[in-house]
Amino acid sequence: MAFNMSHIHVKLGVLSSHDDTSVNSITLFVLLLCACVLIGHLLEKSRWMTESVVALIIGFFTGIIILLTTAGQSSHILLFNEELFFIYLLPPIIFNAGFQVKMKQFFRNFVAIFLYGVVGSIISFLIVSLGSIQFFQKLDIGLLDLGDYFALGAVFSATDSVCTLQVLNQEETPLLYSLVFGEGVVNDATSVVLFNAIQKFDLSHITSANVMQFLGNFLYLFVTSTFLGVAVGLLSAYIIKKLYFGRHSTDREIALMILMAYFSYMVAELLDLSGILTVFFCGVVMSHYTWHNVTENSRITSRHAFATFSFMAEIFIFLYVGMDALDIEKWKFASNSPWTFVAASAILLGLVLLGRAAFVFPLSFVANLTRKSETDKIGFKQQIVIWWAGLMRGAVSVALAYNKFTRSGHTQLQGNAIMITSTITVVLLTNVVGGLLTKPLIRSLLNPHRHSMHSELSSDKHLSLPLLLNGQDSEVNVDTGNPLDTNHTIHYFWRLFDDKFMRPVFGGRGFVPSSPTDSSPH
């Protein structure tokens, strides 16, 4: 998402200009963040409620209290420009998603992940876009152009993998965990690239030449953004491998990793590329190479630091969305046509359900054609869980909607207000209902406890390996599989190329000249 950096002002300002009020508001917001963490921890064992849902609910009730104390004037503690979603909050979320991807499991499920994350996102995008054009034009929503409808398609094709994985157990359902995680992170990047391409597409008159231009722009953004992320990731790996900062300070190693990751994002924005896609692939590369070139202390610290940044940004977004669900300004415009708002929300929710079903089941059939072993195939019950678990919409959808339909947090048009309130409604429903019902659905369809016991008895099999394995990509004594199996073939040739050409130059497991643990970092 390309932004003019000269127009970015930090509007994380409080609603009062007095310093004391500012401190009080920020203090209250920090207190609410602490409450989200504590309550989320207390509900962790039940795995019915996620931290994201907790943040939404706390934000919602906090908004009610603020409305009552301000006599209905406001429901916010903080008010900030929607561009801050992309500049400060989304980068750590997407980077951590890429940083957590393990190449072995990613390539083992590459075909299914690619089909779900890229092809599936495009199918969902088209269904939501065309469906909203068909139905919304019959409603008295307000002034919406063709670009707004296609932007909606991009907004609601973004699955919230963070919320989804909070209700999935990688030990009980390792294959589902791998597929949903891989789909989610690729899906987020694809949705943002689609959104960017739509903004640059001339929709005043659609011709075959314009469609080809759109496809070309989409591929250009995808390829160049990916290349930039990979290049910056490899550069960080090479620098840390050659200079070996850990001899003197682990702080420098971690600082360089964080700064290089953020640098990749900002360079992409300055070059009008997709910063989200760039920082995602930068995270993938840094996890595979850079992370293995630092000291053991830096490995532990960096992995937890990145996860913490991502977690806090995610909670911050949902807490704000919970408050914004009661924003008087937006509801004042939307309440002029209450039935229109209800119909719009129902239509969007129905299109999300339909759009996901339209690609999960057909693409699962295609993915199963590449899986030779019957135990590797994605069963119908698993497909139902994948369809349902991926319905949650979250941070990326909210950020895209705010970017498209608000200006500095404000909505002055009825159509835009209805789109924001409908987006918030869909996010609330999919997270709360999805968060509550996903675990019972898994228990009723898949009997994960029996699978978990089987996994413990056969933990050396690749199916029992989760996408994340104690933060490390275990590659020792792992069967590369039948060469005729497409998924194993991709992984097999990638390993050959990686071991022969990439790791001797950029480091990684087994190619660090001197073990980082041999030194005594400060």
Side-chain angles (χ1 to χ4, degrees):
M1 175 91 27
F3 296 125
N4 186 346
M5 298 303 295
S6 64
H7 289 88
I8 295 178
H9 303 283
V10 177
K11 296 186 179 180
L12 188 57
V14 282
L15 300 179
S16 172
S17 60
H18 300 290
D19 291 339
D20 291 341
T21 306
S22 301
V23 172
N24 293 337
S25 299
I26 295 175
T27 302
L28 179 57
F29 204 91
V30 171
L31 180 63
L32 292 175
L33 289 173
C34 293
C36 293
V37 174
L38 291 174
I39 296 175
H41 170 71
L42 294 176
L43 297 175
E44 174 67 20
K45 289 185 178 180
S46 69
R47 302 193 67 86
W48 281 62
M49 297 285 285
T50 68
E51 276 92 352
S52 301
V53 175
V54 170
L56 283 170
I57 295 174
I58 290 178
F60 184 81
F61 282 103
T62 303
I64 293 177
I65 296 174
I66 296 174
L67 276 176
L68 295 175
T69 56
T70 60
Q73 296 299 313
S74 174
S75 65
H76 296 94
I77 298 175
L78 304 175
L79 180 65
F80 57 94
N81 193 312
E82 68 278 358
E83 290 178 344
L84 295 183
F85 275 115
F86 287 93
I87 300 300
Y88 298 111
L89 297 179
L90 277 187
I93 295 174
I94 303 300
F95 173 79
N96 185 64
F99 194 76
Q100 299 294 349
V101 169
K102 296 296 114 183
M103 303 296 277
K104 174 172 73 327
Q105 292 301 315
F106 184 83
F107 281 111
R108 286 192 187 281
N109 297 295
F110 177 80
V111 173
I113 289 174
F114 176 84
L115 289 174
Y116 291 151
V118 178
V119 180
S121 297
I122 295 174
I123 293 174
S124 178
F125 161 76
L126 291 175
I127 289 177
V128 175
S129 299
L130 298 178
S132 61
I133 293 173
Q134 181 69 27
F135 293 108
F136 283 2
Q137 290 182 349
K138 299 178 181 179
L139 301 175
D140 184 21
I141 289 182
L143 183 62
L144 291 178
D145 57 31
L146 198 58
D148 294 330
Y149 292 119
F150 280 105
L152 277 177
V155 166
F156 287 102
S157 62
T159 299
D160 192 332
S161 59
V162 176
C163 296
T164 301
L165 294 183
Q166 288 176 359
V167 293
L168 289 179
N169 190 312
Q170 62 179 335
E171 295 180 357
E172 295 179 350
T173 55
L175 178 59
L176 287 181
Y177 191 94
S178 300
L179 291 175
V180 173
F181 183 86
E183 178 211 346
V185 293
V186 175
N187 161 278
D188 284 346
T190 304
S191 300
V192 174
V193 172
L194 280 171
F195 188 86
N196 290 348
I198 285 294
Q199 305 310 304
K200 300 178 181 181
F201 185 48
D202 182 13
L203 294 168
S204 57
H205 55 283
I206 300 178
T207 63
S208 58
N210 285 343
V211 172
M212 294 302 297
Q213 181 183 2
F214 170 77
L215 294 176
N217 190 31
F218 174 79
L219 292 175
Y220 169 77
L221 284 173
F222 205 101
V223 173
T224 52
S225 300
T226 299
F227 177 80
L228 177 61
V230 171
V232 175
L234 290 176
L235 178 62
S236 70
Y238 184 80
I239 291 174
I240 290 180
K241 176 176 179 288
K242 287 297 182 182
L243 299 182
Y244 188 32
F245 289 82
R247 287 175 296 183
H248 304 293
S249 172
T250 60
D251 297 338
R252 292 192 181 98
E253 288 183 321
I254 299 173
L256 186 62
M257 292 176 70
I258 295 174
L259 292 174
M260 290 291 284
Y262 197 68
F263 172 75
S264 71
Y265 181 84
M266 297 310 298
V267 169
E269 296 298 323
L270 292 174
L271 296 177
D272 290 343
L273 302 176
S274 172
I276 296 297
L277 192 63
T278 297
V279 79
F280 167 71
F281 278 100
C282 181
V284 172
V285 173
M286 289 180 71
S287 174
H288 192 64
Y289 297 108
T290 312
W291 188 78
H292 293 284
N293 296 341
V294 300
T295 63
E296 185 65 26
N297 288 341
S298 294
R299 294 180 190 177
I300 298 172
T301 304
S302 62
R303 188 166 293 279
H304 287 291
F306 296 147
T308 302
F309 291 151
S310 173
F311 172 77
M312 294 303 297
E314 184 90 5
I315 296 301
F316 188 101
I317 290 175
F318 279 104
L319 189 58
Y320 181 82
V321 169
M323 295 181 191
D324 201 54
L326 297 170
D327 183 53
I328 294 299
E329 180 187 75
K330 298 178 179 65
W331 284 106
K332 187 179 296 182
F333 287 101
S335 62
N336 293 332
S337 304
W339 292 110
T340 301
F341 154 72
V342 173
S345 300
I347 289 171
L348 287 173
L349 184 58
L351 290 174
V352 168
L353 291 166
L354 177 63
R356 185 155 183 84
F359 76 79
V360 168
F361 299 105
L363 295 183
S364 296
F365 173 79
V366 175
N368 283 336
L369 296 178
T370 67
R371 294 171 176 259
K372 305 302 181 181
S373 173
E374 288 297 325
T375 57
D376 280 349
K377 292 185 182 297
I378 307 170
F380 181 71
K381 292 182 179 180
Q382 291 176 315
Q383 295 173 31
I384 294 176
V385 174
I386 293 172
W387 167 72
W388 178 261
L391 290 173
M392 297 185 193
R393 297 298 181 264
V396 175
S397 294
V398 168
L400 293 177
Y402 273 70
N403 179 261
K404 180 63 179 179
F405 297 109
T406 68
R407 295 294 179 270
S408 299
H410 298 283
T411 52
Q412 303 297 332
L413 299 175
Q414 177 178 315
N416 288 354
I418 291 178
M419 290 301 97
I420 290 294
T421 52
S422 297
T423 299
I424 293 174
T425 301
V426 172
V427 170
L428 285 169
L429 288 175
T430 56
N431 276 273
V432 174
V433 178
L436 289 174
L437 297 183
T438 299
K439 193 65 177 180
L441 181 67
I442 293 175
R443 287 175 178 170
S444 62
L445 291 179
L446 302 180
N447 192 9
H449 295 292
R450 179 176 59 83
H451 178 80
S452 179
M453 293 176 61
H454 174 72
S455 297
E456 293 177 0
L457 295 175
S458 57
S459 59
D460 58 329
K461 304 293 185 181
H462 73 271
L463 277 177
S464 66
L465 290 174
L467 193 64
L468 307 179
L469 188 60
N470 295 327
Q472 304 212 11
D473 188 8
S474 178
E475 296 177 349
V476 182
N477 298 327
V478 175
D479 181 16
T480 57
N482 183 355
L484 296 178
D485 191 328
T486 304
N487 300 286
H488 294 298
T489 301
I490 295 173
H491 178 240
Y492 174 75
F493 284 109
W494 159 251
R495 285 287 305 278
L496 290 179
F497 174 79
D498 191 32
D499 291 342
K500 185 174 182 180
F501 298 104
M502 300 299 290
R503 287 185 170 178
V505 178
F506 300 105
R509 187 187 303 278
F511 284 97
V512 180
S514 58
S515 175
T517 56
D518 293 338
S519 65
S520 299
H522 300 291

